[in-house]
Amino acid sequence: MSLAHTAAEYMLSDALLPDRRGSHFKGLRLELPLDRMVKFVAVGFPLLLMSLTLAQEFSSGSPISCFSPSNFSVQQAAYIDSSCWDSLVHHEQDEPGRYKMKSLWPHKALPYSLLALAMVMYLPVLLWQYAAVPTLSSDLLFIISELDKSYNRSIRLVQHMLKIQQESSDPHIFWDELEKARKERYFEFPLLERYLACKQRSHSLVATYLLRNSLLLLFTTATYLYLGHFHLDVFFQEEFSCSIKTRLLSDKTHVPDLIPCRLTSLSIFQIVSLSSVAIYTLLVPVIIYNLTRLCRWDKRLLSIYEMLPAFDLLSRKMLGCPINDLNVILLFLRANISKLISFSWLSVLCVLRDTTSQKHNIDTVVDFMTLLAGLEPSKPKYLTHRVCDEHP
């Protein structure tokens, strides 16, 4: 019998999780994978386009080419190009002697508008970093630690039960004490469960998460409006008529009223506009999906931890409306599942519990580990019958 108890002790010792104080909790994921992808694309893509635009401008020279009269010198032609690029005003004859002016400034403001777009898209990320990350980090550290500690407490409890059962001379005393402990709920460790129930009534994290994604949708809509109102108006404007008869040249008769110019960077402008619309259109469903995840519970994670004696949020039906901080925390626990060593152990125990023949007597990890250690999860029948015979 001692050999069986020794083997059970070794099995229980191996089931204990190692102490993970210190560096193991470094590197927590405080952004969900989809949120991180949205951040990189929404912020990084306009920066990439801006760098490509500036590189094209520096490599190809002036993005404008004006057709100056043949009697102009090289310096005068360069002055015309510079002056027309500075003004970027198209003069179109509306009536005889009257001109209608149209500004083409989006071509000149393209790199700066892309930089402004990247900065605006980074504002929701800053909001999340400063408003939610400190609280979320402390919550995750505490919950992950307590989940693993609750698992270890269950294993140590079974070790203690095995030791008491081995040292007990009268089996009735052991089983009576065990039934009393189960009845009085001494096996439970309610700190974690009450903390999670408290988070279910809190809404600071979920409000920040909703605000972050709502701002992303708002800024994306503003980007559509900007591109549609300003870029679409000059999208096909490749040639324009420029007037340079200003200041010193206003009274020069040999200078023509209008000089035809051509935008050599129109194709870059069109590619940037179309690609921006396409990328942000693809991001919109992802952002909406991030918001819809708050409308349902991740019950798989909760159901696995139902094996802990103090964790019965599902069985007590404490889960109500999913739009609260607890649901956000569950999403981040799923993202940091590699930090939860107890999750893999409990997942295996859940699978084994479903295949055991005594499924009806197993509710928690304590019940299952007592069965694996050679103890019955409830009082043996022959002891029950004997007690009934002694006390008819």
Side-chain angles (χ1 to χ4, degrees):
M1 191 65 179
S2 60
L3 182 61
H5 281 287
T6 303
E9 290 176 1
Y10 286 156
M11 182 269 295
L12 294 173
S13 298
D14 292 339
L16 281 172
L17 302 181
D19 189 7
R20 304 184 301 163
R21 298 174 185 172
S23 62
H24 187 84
F25 288 117
K26 293 181 179 179
L28 280 176
R29 295 182 179 179
L30 301 175
E31 274 188 311
L32 297 177
L34 284 179
D35 290 330
R36 182 174 297 183
M37 185 269 291
V38 169
K39 178 187 72 173
F40 285 145
V41 175
V43 178
F45 187 72
L47 292 178
L48 175 63
L49 292 179
M50 183 190 71
S51 62
L52 293 177
T53 303
L54 294 176
Q56 187 271 340
E57 184 176 343
F58 290 145
S59 62
S60 303
S62 177
I64 191 175
S65 177
C66 294
F67 303 95
S68 56
S70 59
N71 58 346
F72 276 38
S73 64
V74 176
Q75 290 80 3
Q76 289 174 322
Y79 171 78
I80 291 175
D81 289 349
S82 176
S83 177
C84 289
W85 176 248
D86 289 340
S87 64
L88 273 183
V89 175
H90 174 50
H91 294 74
E92 184 178 0
Q93 189 170 4
D94 189 12
E95 296 178 3
R98 298 183 62 182
Y99 290 92
K100 177 182 176 182
M101 292 185 295
K102 177 183 177 181
S103 178
L104 306 178
W105 67 268
H107 289 278
K108 187 191 299 185
L110 182 61
Y112 310 104
S113 62
L114 291 172
L115 178 61
L117 177 60
M119 294 174 62
V120 167
M121 288 297 179
Y122 194 67
L123 291 179
V125 180
L126 289 178
L127 172 68
W128 179 257
Q129 289 290 332
Y130 288 100
V133 163
T135 303
L136 178 64
S137 177
S138 59
D139 287 340
L140 289 177
L141 288 176
F142 173 76
I143 292 173
I144 291 175
S145 176
E146 285 301 314
L147 286 175
D148 288 346
K149 286 180 181 178
S150 297
Y151 171 82
N152 273 352
R153 291 189 195 110
S154 300
I155 301 301
R156 291 192 180 99
L157 179 61
V158 178
Q159 288 179 323
H160 186 65
M161 289 167 55
L162 185 65
K163 181 179 179 181
I164 293 178
Q165 195 268 346
Q166 184 179 5
E167 295 176 353
S168 176
S169 58
D170 187 359
H172 294 283
I173 299 178
F174 170 75
W175 290 110
D176 289 341
E177 288 292 329
L178 181 59
E179 287 188 355
K180 180 181 178 182
R182 294 181 187 277
K183 183 178 179 180
E184 299 294 333
R185 304 175 69 89
Y186 291 152
F187 292 167
E188 297 190 359
F189 307 95
L191 175 62
L192 176 62
E193 181 180 332
R194 293 184 181 181
Y195 184 79
L196 294 179
C198 178
K199 284 298 175 179
Q200 190 179 356
R201 297 187 294 271
S202 175
H203 298 87
S204 58
L205 287 177
V206 71
T208 307
Y209 190 79
L210 288 172
L211 181 59
R212 170 183 177 168
N213 287 277
S214 300
L215 287 177
L216 285 174
L217 289 177
L218 178 63
F219 295 153
T220 303
T221 304
T223 303
Y224 288 150
L225 294 176
Y226 170 77
L227 294 174
H229 186 267
F230 294 105
H231 282 216
L232 188 61
D233 189 40
V234 298
F235 192 76
F236 299 102
Q237 188 80 38
E238 184 176 11
E239 298 179 354
F240 68 100
S241 299
C242 176
S243 175
I244 62 170
K245 298 193 71 172
T246 58
R247 295 190 295 272
L248 295 177
L249 300 178
S250 59
D251 56 348
K252 300 296 182 180
T253 58
H254 67 282
V255 177
D257 294 334
L258 298 176
I259 294 178
C261 295
R262 178 176 177 271
L263 292 169
T264 58
S265 61
L266 180 65
S267 59
I268 300 297
F269 181 82
Q270 292 174 337
I271 291 174
V272 168
S273 302
L274 290 177
S275 58
S276 298
V277 172
I279 290 298
Y280 285 106
T281 301
L282 293 176
L283 284 183
V284 169
V286 180
I287 298 173
I288 295 176
Y289 174 74
N290 287 339
L291 291 173
T292 57
R293 284 192 298 178
L294 298 177
C295 299
R296 62 182 184 275
W297 291 102
D298 185 5
K299 293 188 177 181
R300 181 174 178 270
L301 182 67
L302 292 177
S303 62
I304 292 296
Y305 278 97
E306 287 283 301
M307 288 283 287
L308 293 179
F311 200 88
D312 55 354
L313 288 174
L314 284 178
S315 60
R316 290 189 179 183
K317 303 185 183 301
M318 296 176 65
L319 296 179
C321 176
I323 303 178
N324 51 55
D325 288 354
L326 177 58
N327 198 13
V328 177
I329 290 174
L330 290 178
L331 291 176
F332 280 91
L333 284 176
R334 173 66 64 181
N336 292 277
I337 202 69
S338 59
K339 306 294 183 181
L340 276 168
I341 302 180
S342 58
F343 179 81
S344 59
W345 280 87
L346 290 175
S347 299
V348 172
L349 294 181
C350 286
V351 174
L352 296 177
R353 179 191 61 182
D354 295 337
T355 59
T356 184
S357 58
Q358 302 183 24
K359 189 186 307 183
H360 60 281
N361 291 325
I362 300 175
D363 294 325
T364 66
V365 64
V366 175
D367 301 325
F368 193 84
M369 296 307 289
T370 53
L371 181 64
L372 293 180
L375 298 174
E376 293 288 339
S378 59
K379 181 182 287 190
K381 292 183 179 179
Y382 72 91
L383 290 178
T384 305
H385 295 328
R386 185 174 175 180
V387 171
C388 293
D389 293 338
E390 292 177 355
H391 304 281

mmCIF file of all heavy atoms in Angstrom, residues 345-363:
data_model
loop_
_atom_site.group_PDB
_atom_site.id
_atom_site.type_symbol
_atom_site.label_atom_id
_atom_site.label_comp_id
_atom_site.label_asym_id
_atom_site.label_seq_id
_atom_site.Cartn_x
_atom_site.Cartn_y
_atom_site.Cartn_z
ATOM 1 N N TRP A 345 -3.109 22.175 -18.245
ATOM 2 C CA TRP A 345 -3.353 21.054 -17.323
ATOM 3 C C TRP A 345 -4.840 20.809 -17.147
ATOM 4 O O TRP A 345 -5.309 19.666 -17.212
ATOM 5 C CB TRP A 345 -2.703 21.360 -15.972
ATOM 6 C CG TRP A 345 -1.234 21.102 -15.938
ATOM 7 C CD1 TRP A 345 -0.247 21.957 -16.294
ATOM 8 C CD2 TRP A 345 -0.579 19.898 -15.538
ATOM 9 N NE1 TRP A 345 0.982 21.380 -16.146
ATOM 10 C CE2 TRP A 345 0.807 20.106 -15.670
ATOM 11 C CE3 TRP A 345 -1.028 18.664 -15.063
ATOM 12 C CZ2 TRP A 345 1.746 19.136 -15.360
ATOM 13 C CZ3 TRP A 345 -0.093 17.689 -14.744
ATOM 14 C CH2 TRP A 345 1.272 17.924 -14.896
ATOM 15 N N LEU A 346 -5.588 21.880 -16.946
ATOM 16 C CA LEU A 346 -7.023 21.723 -16.747
ATOM 17 C C LEU A 346 -7.723 21.260 -18.015
ATOM 18 O O LEU A 346 -8.732 20.548 -17.947
ATOM 19 C CB LEU A 346 -7.625 23.053 -16.268
ATOM 20 C CG LEU A 346 -7.243 23.471 -14.845
ATOM 21 C CD1 LEU A 346 -7.801 24.845 -14.525
ATOM 22 C CD2 LEU A 346 -7.747 22.457 -13.829
ATOM 23 N N SER A 347 -7.216 21.653 -19.174
ATOM 24 C CA SER A 347 -7.799 21.176 -20.431
ATOM 25 C C SER A 347 -7.657 19.669 -20.556
ATOM 26 O O SER A 347 -8.596 18.964 -20.963
ATOM 27 C CB SER A 347 -7.124 21.875 -21.619
ATOM 28 O OG SER A 347 -7.301 23.266 -21.568
ATOM 29 N N VAL A 348 -6.483 19.161 -20.177
ATOM 30 C CA VAL A 348 -6.268 17.705 -20.208
ATOM 31 C C VAL A 348 -7.187 17.019 -19.205
ATOM 32 O O VAL A 348 -7.803 15.980 -19.500
ATOM 33 C CB VAL A 348 -4.793 17.388 -19.923
ATOM 34 C CG1 VAL A 348 -4.588 15.885 -19.761
ATOM 35 C CG2 VAL A 348 -3.902 17.934 -21.023
ATOM 36 N N LEU A 349 -7.312 17.592 -18.001
ATOM 37 C CA LEU A 349 -8.177 16.989 -16.986
ATOM 38 C C LEU A 349 -9.638 16.999 -17.417
ATOM 39 O O LEU A 349 -10.387 16.060 -17.118
ATOM 40 C CB LEU A 349 -8.019 17.727 -15.660
ATOM 41 C CG LEU A 349 -6.653 17.610 -14.970
ATOM 42 C CD1 LEU A 349 -6.656 18.374 -13.660
ATOM 43 C CD2 LEU A 349 -6.281 16.147 -14.724
ATOM 44 N N CYS A 350 -10.056 18.041 -18.122
ATOM 45 C CA CYS A 350 -11.443 18.085 -18.619
ATOM 46 C C CYS A 350 -11.695 16.982 -19.639
ATOM 47 O O CYS A 350 -12.757 16.348 -19.644
ATOM 48 C CB CYS A 350 -11.734 19.452 -19.226
ATOM 49 S SG CYS A 350 -11.949 20.773 -18.013
ATOM 50 N N VAL A 351 -10.705 16.747 -20.517
ATOM 51 C CA VAL A 351 -10.853 15.676 -21.501
ATOM 52 C C VAL A 351 -10.907 14.320 -20.813
ATOM 53 O O VAL A 351 -11.747 13.462 -21.142
ATOM 54 C CB VAL A 351 -9.698 15.733 -22.522
ATOM 55 C CG1 VAL A 351 -9.746 14.540 -23.459
ATOM 56 C CG2 VAL A 351 -9.769 17.033 -23.328
ATOM 57 N N LEU A 352 -10.027 14.111 -19.837
ATOM 58 C CA LEU A 352 -10.022 12.841 -19.113
ATOM 59 C C LEU A 352 -11.285 12.660 -18.281
ATOM 60 O O LEU A 352 -11.798 11.550 -18.139
ATOM 61 C CB LEU A 352 -8.787 12.768 -18.210
ATOM 62 C CG LEU A 352 -7.436 12.761 -18.928
ATOM 63 C CD1 LEU A 352 -6.302 12.756 -17.926
ATOM 64 C CD2 LEU A 352 -7.319 11.566 -19.866
ATOM 65 N N ARG A 353 -11.800 13.772 -17.722
ATOM 66 C CA ARG A 353 -13.025 13.686 -16.938
ATOM 67 C C ARG A 353 -14.199 13.229 -17.795
ATOM 68 O O ARG A 353 -15.058 12.463 -17.366
ATOM 69 C CB ARG A 353 -13.336 15.043 -16.316
ATOM 70 C CG ARG A 353 -14.613 15.090 -15.489
ATOM 71 C CD ARG A 353 -14.976 16.507 -15.131
ATOM 72 N NE ARG A 353 -15.213 17.311 -16.317
ATOM 73 C CZ ARG A 353 -15.515 18.608 -16.293
ATOM 74 N NH1 ARG A 353 -15.590 19.243 -15.135
ATOM 75 N NH2 ARG A 353 -15.716 19.266 -17.414
ATOM 76 N N ASP A 354 -14.234 13.707 -19.041
ATOM 77 C CA ASP A 354 -15.340 13.341 -19.926
ATOM 78 C C ASP A 354 -15.287 11.876 -20.358
ATOM 79 O O ASP A 354 -16.283 11.332 -20.823
ATOM 80 C CB ASP A 354 -15.339 14.238 -21.170
ATOM 81 C CG ASP A 354 -15.628 15.688 -20.816
ATOM 82 O OD1 ASP A 354 -16.236 15.914 -19.766
ATOM 83 O OD2 ASP A 354 -15.220 16.582 -21.583
ATOM 84 N N THR A 355 -14.106 11.255 -20.234
ATOM 85 C CA THR A 355 -13.972 9.859 -20.650
ATOM 86 C C THR A 355 -14.009 8.875 -19.488
ATOM 87 O O THR A 355 -14.022 7.664 -19.726
ATOM 88 C CB THR A 355 -12.648 9.664 -21.415
ATOM 89 O OG1 THR A 355 -11.546 10.028 -20.569
ATOM 90 C CG2 THR A 355 -12.623 10.530 -22.676
ATOM 91 N N THR A 356 -14.004 9.383 -18.248
ATOM 92 C CA THR A 356 -14.003 8.465 -17.109
ATOM 93 C C THR A 356 -15.389 7.884 -16.872
ATOM 94 O O THR A 356 -16.403 8.490 -17.223
ATOM 95 C CB THR A 356 -13.502 9.183 -15.842
ATOM 96 O OG1 THR A 356 -13.413 8.252 -14.782
ATOM 97 C CG2 THR A 356 -14.453 10.302 -15.455
ATOM 98 N N SER A 357 -15.412 6.735 -16.245
ATOM 99 C CA SER A 357 -16.690 6.058 -16.004
ATOM 100 C C SER A 357 -17.424 6.638 -14.796
ATOM 101 O O SER A 357 -18.624 6.452 -14.658
ATOM 102 C CB SER A 357 -16.451 4.557 -15.782
ATOM 103 O OG SER A 357 -15.571 4.347 -14.675
ATOM 104 N N GLN A 358 -16.724 7.352 -13.915
ATOM 105 C CA GLN A 358 -17.341 7.925 -12.720
ATOM 106 C C GLN A 358 -17.548 9.427 -12.887
ATOM 107 O O GLN A 358 -17.269 10.223 -12.009
ATOM 108 C CB GLN A 358 -16.477 7.655 -11.495
ATOM 109 C CG GLN A 358 -16.226 6.184 -11.252
ATOM 110 C CD GLN A 358 -15.428 5.946 -9.984
ATOM 111 O OE1 GLN A 358 -15.437 6.772 -9.083
ATOM 112 N NE2 GLN A 358 -14.764 4.819 -9.911
ATOM 113 N N LYS A 359 -18.031 9.819 -14.050
ATOM 114 C CA LYS A 359 -18.168 11.223 -14.393
ATOM 115 C C LYS A 359 -19.104 11.965 -13.442
ATOM 116 O O LYS A 359 -18.912 13.142 -13.131
ATOM 117 C CB LYS A 359 -18.674 11.335 -15.830
ATOM 118 C CG LYS A 359 -18.660 12.730 -16.402
ATOM 119 C CD LYS A 359 -19.321 12.747 -17.774
ATOM 120 C CE LYS A 359 -18.714 11.708 -18.690
ATOM 121 N NZ LYS A 359 -19.309 11.773 -20.042
ATOM 122 N N HIS A 360 -20.122 11.278 -12.946
ATOM 123 C CA HIS A 360 -21.120 11.956 -12.125
ATOM 124 C C HIS A 360 -20.589 12.337 -10.757
ATOM 125 O O HIS A 360 -21.179 13.159 -10.058
ATOM 126 C CB HIS A 360 -22.348 11.062 -11.963
ATOM 127 C CG HIS A 360 -22.041 9.754 -11.311
ATOM 128 N ND1 HIS A 360 -21.472 8.698 -12.017
ATOM 129 C CD2 HIS A 360 -22.205 9.328 -10.026
ATOM 130 C CE1 HIS A 360 -21.323 7.664 -11.178
ATOM 131 N NE2 HIS A 360 -21.753 8.025 -9.986
ATOM 132 N N ASN A 361 -19.487 11.744 -10.315
ATOM 133 C CA ASN A 361 -18.923 12.064 -9.013
ATOM 134 C C ASN A 361 -17.780 13.070 -9.086
ATOM 135 O O ASN A 361 -17.145 13.360 -8.075
ATOM 136 C CB ASN A 361 -18.402 10.784 -8.335
ATOM 137 C CG ASN A 361 -19.541 9.860 -7.923
ATOM 138 O OD1 ASN A 361 -20.603 10.344 -7.537
ATOM 139 N ND2 ASN A 361 -19.321 8.569 -8.019
ATOM 140 N N ILE A 362 -17.464 13.595 -10.281
ATOM 141 C CA ILE A 362 -16.320 14.473 -10.471
ATOM 142 C C ILE A 362 -16.813 15.848 -10.880
ATOM 143 O O ILE A 362 -17.421 16.013 -11.935
ATOM 144 C CB ILE A 362 -15.363 13.917 -11.548
ATOM 145 C CG1 ILE A 362 -14.841 12.538 -11.118
ATOM 146 C CG2 ILE A 362 -14.205 14.867 -11.769
ATOM 147 C CD1 ILE A 362 -13.989 11.872 -12.161
ATOM 148 N N ASP A 363 -16.591 16.830 -10.023
ATOM 149 C CA ASP A 363 -16.975 18.205 -10.322
ATOM 150 C C ASP A 363 -15.775 19.136 -10.438
ATOM 151 O O ASP A 363 -15.780 20.054 -11.245
ATOM 152 C CB ASP A 363 -17.914 18.744 -9.234
ATOM 153 C CG ASP A 363 -19.251 18.014 -9.225
ATOM 154 O OD1 ASP A 363 -19.709 17.652 -10.327
ATOM 155 O OD2 ASP A 363 -19.805 17.821 -8.144
#
